[in-house]
PDB file of all heavy atoms in Angstrom:
ATOM      1  N   ASN B 138      11.147 -50.484  24.011  1.00 97.00           N
ATOM      2  CA  ASN B 138      10.506 -49.164  24.130  1.00 97.00           C
ATOM      3  C   ASN B 138       9.928 -48.952  25.523  1.00 97.00           C
ATOM      4  O   ASN B 138       9.643 -47.832  25.918  1.00 97.00           O
ATOM      5  CB  ASN B 138       9.378 -49.019  23.096  1.00 97.00           C
ATOM      6  CG  ASN B 138       8.188 -49.902  23.415  1.00 97.00           C
ATOM      7  OD1 ASN B 138       8.349 -51.123  23.480  1.00 97.00           O
ATOM      8  ND2 ASN B 138       7.041 -49.325  23.648  1.00 97.00           N
ATOM      9  N   ALA B 139       9.746 -50.035  26.264  1.00 98.00           N
ATOM     10  CA  ALA B 139       9.194 -49.923  27.609  1.00 98.00           C
ATOM     11  C   ALA B 139       9.912 -50.905  28.523  1.00 98.00           C
ATOM     12  O   ALA B 139       9.332 -51.887  29.006  1.00 98.00           O
ATOM     13  CB  ALA B 139       7.679 -50.213  27.587  1.00 98.00           C
ATOM     14  N   LYS B 140      11.192 -50.640  28.726  1.00 98.00           N
ATOM     15  CA  LYS B 140      11.974 -51.556  29.597  1.00 98.00           C
ATOM     16  C   LYS B 140      11.442 -51.422  31.012  1.00 98.00           C
ATOM     17  O   LYS B 140      11.260 -50.316  31.513  1.00 98.00           O
ATOM     18  CB  LYS B 140      13.446 -51.183  29.547  1.00 98.00           C
ATOM     19  CG  LYS B 140      14.054 -51.267  28.161  1.00 98.00           C
ATOM     20  CD  LYS B 140      15.506 -50.795  28.171  1.00 98.00           C
ATOM     21  CE  LYS B 140      16.066 -50.529  26.799  1.00 98.00           C
ATOM     22  NZ  LYS B 140      15.562 -49.293  26.187  1.00 98.00           N
ATOM     23  N   THR B 141      11.240 -52.567  31.636  1.00 98.00           N
ATOM     24  CA  THR B 141      10.747 -52.533  33.014  1.00 98.00           C
ATOM     25  C   THR B 141      11.930 -52.332  33.956  1.00 98.00           C
ATOM     26  O   THR B 141      13.085 -52.530  33.555  1.00 98.00           O
ATOM     27  CB  THR B 141      10.068 -53.874  33.362  1.00 98.00           C
ATOM     28  OG1 THR B 141      11.053 -54.900  33.282  1.00 98.00           O
ATOM     29  CG2 THR B 141       8.920 -54.176  32.393  1.00 98.00           C
ATOM     30  N   PRO B 142      11.640 -51.950  35.200  1.00 97.00           N
ATOM     31  CA  PRO B 142      12.743 -51.865  36.173  1.00 97.00           C
ATOM     32  C   PRO B 142      13.525 -53.163  36.241  1.00 97.00           C
ATOM     33  O   PRO B 142      14.745 -53.155  36.395  1.00 97.00           O
ATOM     34  CB  PRO B 142      12.030 -51.547  37.489  1.00 97.00           C
ATOM     35  CG  PRO B 142      10.728 -50.920  37.097  1.00 97.00           C
ATOM     36  CD  PRO B 142      10.355 -51.539  35.785  1.00 97.00           C
ATOM     37  N   GLU B 143      12.823 -54.294  36.095  1.00 98.00           N
ATOM     38  CA  GLU B 143      13.526 -55.611  36.136  1.00 98.00           C
ATOM     39  C   GLU B 143      14.486 -55.745  34.956  1.00 98.00           C
ATOM     40  O   GLU B 143      15.589 -56.259  35.115  1.00 98.00           O
ATOM     41  CB  GLU B 143      12.511 -56.766  36.099  1.00 98.00           C
ATOM     42  CG  GLU B 143      11.683 -56.950  37.348  1.00 98.00           C
ATOM     43  CD  GLU B 143      10.644 -55.838  37.563  1.00 98.00           C
ATOM     44  OE1 GLU B 143      10.081 -55.333  36.553  1.00 98.00           O
ATOM     45  OE2 GLU B 143      10.417 -55.465  38.722  1.00 98.00           O
ATOM     46  N   ASP B 144      14.054 -55.294  33.777  1.00 98.00           N
ATOM     47  CA  ASP B 144      14.960 -55.337  32.621  1.00 98.00           C
ATOM     48  C   ASP B 144      16.224 -54.514  32.897  1.00 98.00           C
ATOM     49  O   ASP B 144      17.340 -54.962  32.660  1.00 98.00           O
ATOM     50  CB  ASP B 144      14.265 -54.755  31.362  1.00 98.00           C
ATOM     51  CG  ASP B 144      13.077 -55.589  30.911  1.00 98.00           C
ATOM     52  OD1 ASP B 144      13.063 -56.803  31.142  1.00 98.00           O
ATOM     53  OD2 ASP B 144      12.152 -54.987  30.292  1.00 98.00           O
ATOM     54  N   LEU B 145      16.000 -53.304  33.397  1.00 98.00           N
ATOM     55  CA  LEU B 145      17.139 -52.391  33.610  1.00 98.00           C
ATOM     56  C   LEU B 145      18.086 -52.956  34.700  1.00 98.00           C
ATOM     57  O   LEU B 145      19.301 -52.942  34.552  1.00 98.00           O
ATOM     58  CB  LEU B 145      16.644 -50.997  34.020  1.00 98.00           C
ATOM     59  CG  LEU B 145      15.881 -50.252  32.922  1.00 98.00           C
ATOM     60  CD1 LEU B 145      15.342 -48.903  33.446  1.00 98.00           C
ATOM     61  CD2 LEU B 145      16.753 -49.997  31.687  1.00 98.00           C
ATOM     62  N   LYS B 146      17.463 -53.474  35.763  1.00 98.00           N
ATOM     63  CA  LYS B 146      18.301 -54.019  36.859  1.00 98.00           C
ATOM     64  C   LYS B 146      19.094 -55.239  36.376  1.00 98.00           C
ATOM     65  O   LYS B 146      20.246 -55.420  36.712  1.00 98.00           O
ATOM     66  CB  LYS B 146      17.420 -54.404  38.062  1.00 98.00           C
ATOM     67  CG  LYS B 146      17.016 -53.186  38.875  1.00 98.00           C
ATOM     68  CD  LYS B 146      16.150 -53.610  40.046  1.00 98.00           C
ATOM     69  CE  LYS B 146      15.419 -52.391  40.602  1.00 98.00           C
ATOM     70  NZ  LYS B 146      14.161 -52.739  41.262  1.00 98.00           N
ATOM     71  N   ALA B 147      18.432 -56.084  35.580  1.00 98.00           N
ATOM     72  CA  ALA B 147      19.117 -57.279  35.064  1.00 98.00           C
ATOM     73  C   ALA B 147      20.308 -56.858  34.178  1.00 98.00           C
ATOM     74  O   ALA B 147      21.386 -57.442  34.248  1.00 98.00           O
ATOM     75  CB  ALA B 147      18.150 -58.144  34.272  1.00 98.00           C
ATOM     76  N   ALA B 148      20.086 -55.828  33.393  1.00 98.00           N
ATOM     77  CA  ALA B 148      21.141 -55.348  32.491  1.00 98.00           C
ATOM     78  C   ALA B 148      22.318 -54.792  33.295  1.00 98.00           C
ATOM     79  O   ALA B 148      23.490 -55.097  33.013  1.00 98.00           O
ATOM     80  CB  ALA B 148      20.586 -54.300  31.546  1.00 98.00           C
ATOM     81  N   ILE B 149      21.989 -53.995  34.301  1.00 98.00           N
ATOM     82  CA  ILE B 149      23.063 -53.426  35.113  1.00 98.00           C
ATOM     83  C   ILE B 149      23.750 -54.523  35.894  1.00 98.00           C
ATOM     84  O   ILE B 149      24.995 -54.572  35.994  1.00 98.00           O
ATOM     85  CB  ILE B 149      22.479 -52.359  36.086  1.00 98.00           C
ATOM     86  CG1 ILE B 149      22.011 -51.169  35.266  1.00 98.00           C
ATOM     87  CG2 ILE B 149      23.499 -51.940  37.129  1.00 98.00           C
ATOM     88  CD1 ILE B 149      21.156 -50.194  36.049  1.00 98.00           C
ATOM     89  N   GLY B 150      22.973 -55.482  36.408  1.00 98.00           N
ATOM     90  CA  GLY B 150      23.537 -56.598  37.192  1.00 98.00           C
ATOM     91  C   GLY B 150      24.531 -57.404  36.376  1.00 98.00           C
ATOM     92  O   GLY B 150      25.548 -57.847  36.889  1.00 98.00           O
ATOM     93  N   TYR B 151      24.261 -57.575  35.093  1.00 98.00           N
ATOM     94  CA  TYR B 151      25.181 -58.372  34.256  1.00 98.00           C
ATOM     95  C   TYR B 151      26.253 -57.480  33.642  1.00 98.00           C
ATOM     96  O   TYR B 151      27.216 -57.979  33.059  1.00 98.00           O
ATOM     97  CB  TYR B 151      24.373 -59.097  33.155  1.00 98.00           C
ATOM     98  CG  TYR B 151      25.187 -60.177  32.460  1.00 98.00           C
ATOM     99  CD1 TYR B 151      25.943 -61.100  33.171  1.00 98.00           C
ATOM    100  CD2 TYR B 151      25.204 -60.279  31.056  1.00 98.00           C
ATOM    101  CE1 TYR B 151      26.669 -62.092  32.538  1.00 98.00           C
ATOM    102  CE2 TYR B 151      25.939 -61.260  30.416  1.00 98.00           C
ATOM    103  CZ  TYR B 151      26.665 -62.165  31.155  1.00 98.00           C
ATOM    104  OH  TYR B 151      27.390 -63.152  30.523  1.00 98.00           O
ATOM    105  N   GLY B 152      26.089 -56.186  33.753  1.00 98.00           N
ATOM    106  CA  GLY B 152      27.082 -55.262  33.195  1.00 98.00           C
ATOM    107  C   GLY B 152      27.031 -55.169  31.673  1.00 98.00           C
ATOM    108  O   GLY B 152      28.083 -55.123  31.012  1.00 98.00           O
ATOM    109  N   VAL B 153      25.812 -55.129  31.095  1.00 98.00           N
ATOM    110  CA  VAL B 153      25.738 -55.097  29.627  1.00 98.00           C
ATOM    111  C   VAL B 153      26.436 -53.841  29.090  1.00 98.00           C
ATOM    112  O   VAL B 153      26.405 -52.775  29.718  1.00 98.00           O
ATOM    113  CB  VAL B 153      24.282 -55.151  29.074  1.00 98.00           C
ATOM    114  CG1 VAL B 153      23.539 -56.362  29.578  1.00 98.00           C
ATOM    115  CG2 VAL B 153      23.531 -53.889  29.324  1.00 98.00           C
TER     116      VAL B 153
END
Side-chain angles (χ1 to χ4, degrees):
N138 70 300
K140 299 176 194 75
T141 63
E143 289 70 35
D144 295 332
L145 294 176
K146 282 180 197 153
I149 291 168
Y151 193 47
V153 305

